[in-house]
Amino acid sequence: MYCKNCGAAMNPNQAICIQCGVKTGDGFNFCNNCGNPVTPGAEVCLACGVALKKASGNYGGQDKMTMALICFFLGALGIHNFMMGESKKGIVKIVATLCFGLGAILALIDFVKILTDKYEVDPEKLF
Ligand SMILES: [Zn+2]
Ligand SMILES: [Zn+2]
């Protein structure tokens, strides 16, 4: 296991990298499997072939089912988005719920995406 930010070798149960202080799993400069540098945004590591998908499968530190349930029950208020650091999406849901009552529909779409592993955590997106 390697730090994705600086590429230093690290122990899997370390919470942060001793070398650069970045949280384990954060950063996208190095492959966490083989430690080789990767292009930011690359989907697989060219050196070892491991999938690098930075966000999907990582629901703000929560597991998939927890996030799916939160999305199902509280999704209309964007709670699941805020928990994943996607405040833009969360705000859109609150506005949609308060103004048009549509937040639940957006939340339902997220719910289905989470269950089918299609959900991508992206703080820059609105939907
Ligand atoms: Zn590091
Ligand atoms: Zn690799």
Side-chain angles (χ1 to χ4, degrees):
M1 164 130 202
Y2 296 86
C3 173
K4 291 170 82 178
N5 184 57
C6 70
M10 59 194 285
N11 186 313
N13 21 11
Q14 272 174 240
I16 58 162
C17 171
I18 306 171
Q19 195 111 319
C20 69
V22 153
K23 225 168 62 191
T24 304
D26 274 8
F28 30 83
N29 302 320
F30 292 88
C31 173
N32 63 348
N33 185 52
C34 68
N36 274 298
V38 293
T39 337
E43 302 229 324
V44 289
C45 169
L46 296 176
C48 72
V50 92
L52 296 172
K53 278 258 164 178
K54 37 181 191 278
S56 97
N58 171 24
Y59 303 103
Q62 309 291 323
D63 67 55
K64 178 176 154 183
M65 282 322 289
T66 310
M67 205 39 92
L69 287 174
I70 292 168
C71 178
F72 188 79
F73 291 108
L74 302 168
L77 295 173
I79 304 298
H80 62 296
N81 293 132
F82 289 115
M83 289 180 72
M84 293 188 276
E86 304 175 295
S87 42
K88 285 184 192 170
K89 288 186 195 174
I91 290 163
V92 166
K93 289 211 181 41
I94 292 176
V95 171
T97 298
L98 294 182
C99 301
F100 316 102
L102 292 176
I105 296 171
L106 294 174
L108 196 64
I109 295 170
D110 284 354
F111 175 70
V112 171
K113 282 187 184 169
I114 290 172
L115 283 186
T116 53
D117 290 319
K118 297 253 160 56
Y119 196 90
E120 275 185 52
V121 180
D122 187 348
E124 295 307 313
K125 280 194 183 157
L126 287 176
F127 295 101

